[in-house]
Amino acid sequence: MNYTDPKQLAPLLEAILLAAGRPLTLERLAELFEEYERPEPAHLRAGLAVLGGSCRKRGFELKEVASGYRLQVREKY
């Protein structure tokens, strides 16, 4: 997998956030990768942006909160 490609990184970030069940900071997300394959913070942000865009027409959204990023049910639901 190419961790510098946001489109390839987004589904992995989605799975990580769903499995975590709590918000994760960029630093914590990065720590989940082996050091030799760890994405740069800019790549993680780009992957999160792709993930956020893919949630637009779904019942959940990517939300950045004080303690990190999380996937949550949209408020209107």
Side-chain angles (χ1 to χ4, degrees), residues 10-67:
L12 179 57
L13 293 171
E14 179 178 7
I16 290 169
L17 291 172
L18 286 171
R22 62 183 173 85
L24 297 176
T25 63
L26 279 178
E27 293 79 19
R28 182 64 186 127
L29 285 168
E31 289 171 355
L32 296 173
F33 294 84
E34 295 292 336
E35 190 172 338
Y36 68 91
E37 63 185 6
R38 187 169 294 156
E40 296 291 326
H43 294 135
L44 288 171
R45 282 190 205 92
L48 290 165
V50 169
L51 175 56
S54 72
C55 296
R56 283 195 187 115
K57 296 181 180 181
R58 302 185 78 175
F60 63 92
E61 63 187 344
L62 176 66
K63 187 81 171 182
E64 183 177 7
V65 294
S67 54

